[in-house]
Amino acid sequence: MAGLVWRWCRPALRQLHDGAWYLVLRWSPHLRPRPRHARPDGAGRGLVLHVTHSFDVGGTQTQIQRVCEASNTRYQHAATEIVPELNYGFRSGAVLDERRYGRVLGRVVAKREWRGFPLVQVYKLFRDFRAERPLVVMAWGHETCVTTFVAATFARVPHIVFGIRTFNPAYGWTDSVTAGDLQRAHRAMSPLVSGMIVNSTVVRDDHAAWVKLDPSLITVCPNGAPPSGLSAEVQREAAR
């Protein structure tokens, strides 16, 4: 019965949601203060919370894991994800605690099918940010950057950093409507974040052109590798 009700209500809910999501995307940048580019006070004590869709098998997830497990970082690093049910390896034991998300909405967030709605993702991340109180949130991926920006704006997180690791959506990895929505959102949000990080100069130039931004404002940070995985010769060169 519940499945039948869901299939009957979903189209109407999707239409209502999409209208509300359009308004949120349009107006949330107006609620975000200008970025703070100076080093945050209390360096070494602040939490950097990394946000991704899930910790399935992939390069992005590997990079987040390496940062979170590193012992010599300036800040504390932790992670959260939108769909922990798809975690493998790192954070494979993560589960959703309905109590964090409220008595009524907690049940909505707990159902994976509802987290396909961006507004539900925003609410989940908003409650995560309010609970963890990070100094910085770093979003990984075009779509995650958008939902993270909205949630962090409402949660008043001091710093937002965008992490881009692929070419822009115009290359066809999503439909044209979603690609257009993402482009408009990134163009409005990018001037308001505290930093943008990409993993290559090629991606930097592509992203800068896509959002109409000066490439010098985007930081290139190549993919990291643990020292133990490097050859002795490379380790000696890196130590110089």
Side-chain angles (χ1 to χ4, degrees):
M1 177 63 71
L4 291 175
V5 173
W6 168 248
R7 285 195 294 271
W8 183 79
C9 293
R10 187 180 179 89
L13 288 173
R14 171 58 74 176
Q15 187 174 9
L16 180 64
H17 166 275
D18 289 351
W21 179 231
Y22 171 81
L23 293 176
V24 169
L25 287 181
R26 181 174 180 179
W27 291 106
S28 59
H30 296 284
L31 303 176
R32 184 75 193 174
R34 301 302 300 179
R36 309 173 189 178
H37 292 289
R39 183 179 298 279
D41 294 334
R45 294 190 296 274
L47 173 65
V48 179
L49 189 62
H50 298 264
V51 184
T52 186
H53 183 262
S54 67
F55 283 95
D56 55 2
V57 179
T60 294
Q61 293 78 6
T62 300
Q63 295 302 316
I64 298 174
Q65 178 179 358
R66 286 173 177 167
V67 172
C68 290
E69 292 180 343
S71 59
N72 59 343
T73 57
R74 183 184 299 272
Y75 300 95
Q76 303 172 32
H77 292 266
T80 189
E81 61 283 285
I82 294 171
V83 189
E85 295 89 347
L86 298 181
N87 290 354
Y88 304 101
F90 184 60
R91 286 181 63 81
S92 60
V95 295
L96 287 175
D97 183 357
E98 292 184 27
R99 295 171 297 180
R100 171 177 287 191
Y101 307 106
R103 182 173 299 178
V104 177
L105 291 180
R107 297 180 179 179
V108 174
V109 175
K111 293 183 179 297
R112 179 180 161 189
E113 61 267 23
W114 284 95
R115 271 174 273 134
F117 291 86
L119 285 177
V120 177
Q121 297 176 15
V122 166
Y123 176 74
K124 177 193 181 298
L125 294 176
F126 168 80
R127 295 303 295 259
D128 289 342
F129 298 160
R130 292 297 295 268
E132 302 293 341
R133 304 188 68 83
L135 180 65
V136 180
V137 292
M138 180 168 179
W140 296 67
H142 291 84
E143 294 171 303
T144 304
C145 283
V146 171
T147 51
T148 297
F149 179 95
V150 176
T153 295
F154 286 111
R156 298 184 179 181
V157 177
H159 296 272
I160 302 173
V161 176
F162 281 0
I164 303 296
R165 299 172 56 82
T166 58
F167 290 107
N168 75 73
Y171 285 89
W173 51 260
T174 188
D175 62 86
S176 59
V177 174
T178 301
D181 290 341
L182 287 173
Q183 184 178 45
R184 286 187 290 272
H186 273 267
R187 286 183 176 179
M189 296 173 179
S190 292
L192 301 173
V193 300
S194 296
M196 281 178 286
I197 301 175
V198 299
N199 58 350
S200 70
T201 55
V202 176
V203 173
R204 177 198 63 193
D205 296 340
D206 174 78
H207 190 70
W210 187 63
V211 298
K212 294 184 176 180
L213 195 69
D214 184 347
S216 65
L217 299 177
I218 302 175
T219 300
V220 178
C221 181
N223 292 339
S228 60
L230 303 176
S231 67
E233 181 179 356
V234 173
Q235 290 187 49
R236 286 194 297 270
E237 288 293 327
R240 290 182 180 179

